[in-house]
């Protein structure tokens, strides 16, 4: 089975040898039967459109992804409707994003005593914002992606949403002693990719209002630290005089 999620909100079930059919939106559990299906997005689908397409199964997804689906749906459904293109960003201080990407990530873990236990491997799907222009990481390299866990949905909800099945490798150099990534392509199932890799990721800090509160608290803490540094700097200059 394959699910195709379209920009117009239609969720198509594509099964070999049978005509494509729309998933029954009147059945609150219909989506559960497709959790193991391979998922694909119509080109240009945005996160906001994905939320809209999945809205008929909000109760099911709220439990499966530990997300307040209705709160997130409301956050990406402005009234009146506002069209926002890839040039949108919330504040000049934020680097421009051009897409949201759900990646397959291979994580490795090795016990400290490598002779007593084999290494463990896990493949998960993670969601990132993709910079329109790679950003310096202050370590001599560049970052192509950034976390969205504290980014307001208006910054990324109207950008193209992309599934990238090519694995990214965590700690490859430390584990294998090489920097070349193996070419592994992972089939994106709906549950692993959308439920755990997208919905669970973006709602890591709770609802959009929870996220805003966390952001405000962090901003206050950063401002207090900067104010403290300024005071210490002024006191130091007074002592020097």
């Amino acid at each position: 089975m394959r699910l195709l999620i379209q920009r117009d909100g239609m969720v198509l079930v594509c099964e070999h040898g049978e005509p494509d059919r729309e998933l029954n939106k009147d059945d609150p559990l219909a989506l559960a039967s497709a959790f193991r299906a391979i998922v694909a997005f119509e080109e240009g689908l945005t996160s906001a459109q994905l939320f809209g397409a999945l809205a008929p199964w909000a109760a099911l997804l709220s439990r499966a992804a530990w997300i307040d689906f209705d709160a997130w749906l409301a956050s990406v459904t402005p009234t009146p409707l506002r069209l926002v293109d890839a040039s949108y960003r919330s504040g000049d201080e934020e680097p421009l994003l051009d897409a949201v990407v759900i990646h397959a990530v291979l994580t490795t873990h090795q016990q400290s005593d490598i002779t007593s236990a084999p290494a463990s491997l896990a493949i998960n799907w993670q969601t990132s914002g993709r910079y329109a222009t790679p950003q310096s990481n202050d370590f001599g390299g560049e970052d192509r992606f950034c976390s969205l866990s504290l980014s307001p949905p208006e910054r990324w909800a109207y950008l193209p949403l992309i599934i990238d099945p090519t694995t990214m490798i965590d700690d490859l150099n430390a584990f294998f002693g090489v920097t070349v990534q193996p070419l592994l392509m992972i089939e994106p199932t709906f549950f692993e990719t959308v439920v755990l890799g997208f919905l669970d990721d973006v709602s890591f800090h709770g609802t959009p209002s929870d996220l805003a509160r966390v952001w405000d608290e962090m901003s206050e803490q950063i401002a207090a630290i900067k104010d403290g540094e300024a005071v210490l700097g002024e006191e130091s200059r007074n002592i020097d005089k």
Side-chain angles (χ1 to χ4, degrees):
M1 180 188 292
R2 177 173 171 265
L3 280 186
L4 175 61
I5 303 177
Q6 300 187 156
R7 297 175 63 185
D8 61 2
M10 187 175 293
V11 180
L12 289 180
V13 178
C14 311
E15 294 187 271
H16 181 69
E18 298 183 15
D20 295 347
R21 58 183 173 84
E22 186 175 4
L23 197 64
N24 185 2
K25 294 182 178 181
D26 295 324
D27 181 353
L29 296 178
L31 188 61
S33 66
F35 270 10
R36 292 187 295 171
I38 304 301
V39 65
F41 299 153
E42 180 182 5
E43 185 176 357
L45 179 84
T46 67
S47 300
Q49 290 168 336
L50 176 65
F51 274 104
L54 299 179
W57 304 283
L60 173 65
L61 292 171
S62 291
R63 289 165 174 76
W66 304 324
I67 183 176
D68 185 336
F69 190 94
D70 288 332
W72 279 90
L73 177 63
S75 76
V76 299
T77 311
T79 305
L81 181 63
R82 177 181 59 186
L83 296 179
V84 183
D85 62 19
S87 66
Y88 175 78
R89 50 180 166 174
S90 58
D92 293 337
E93 74 283 358
E94 296 289 350
L96 179 67
L97 303 178
D98 66 4
V100 175
V101 183
I102 311 173
H103 324 258
V105 179
L106 173 64
T107 302
T108 63
H109 179 70
Q110 177 67 62
Q111 300 290 339
S112 56
D113 182 359
I114 61 175
T115 63
S116 63
S120 62
L121 303 176
I123 294 177
N124 300 292
W125 293 83
Q126 297 178 6
T127 301
S128 303
R130 189 178 70 188
Y131 291 123
T133 302
Q135 302 293 303
S136 171
N137 60 14
D138 298 323
F139 294 100
E142 292 182 329
D143 287 334
R144 191 69 177 91
F145 300 97
C146 66
S147 170
L148 295 178
S149 64
L150 280 174
S151 293
E154 61 266 23
R155 185 185 178 209
W156 48 263
Y158 305 95
L159 299 175
L161 182 61
I162 300 168
I163 297 173
D164 184 353
T166 306
T167 52
M168 300 174 65
I169 314 296
D170 277 355
D171 269 347
L172 184 67
N173 187 53
F175 185 74
F176 291 105
V178 296
T179 56
V180 177
Q181 295 190 15
L183 297 178
L184 299 176
M185 304 290 286
I186 309 301
E187 287 191 331
T189 63
F190 178 84
F191 186 76
E192 298 289 339
T193 307
V194 175
V195 177
L196 298 183
F198 176 75
L199 296 177
D200 188 52
D201 268 6
V202 299
S203 64
F204 180 81
H205 290 286
T207 65
S209 59
D210 292 332
L211 185 153
R213 184 168 58 253
V214 170
W215 180 255
D216 288 342
E217 291 172 355
M218 289 181 59
S219 298
E220 290 174 1
Q221 292 171 3
I222 292 171
I225 292 172
K226 289 182 177 179
D227 289 344
E229 291 175 345
V231 170
L232 288 174
E234 184 62 30
E235 291 176 349
S236 176
R237 285 193 295 273
N238 291 336
I239 291 173
D240 291 341
K241 291 179 180 179

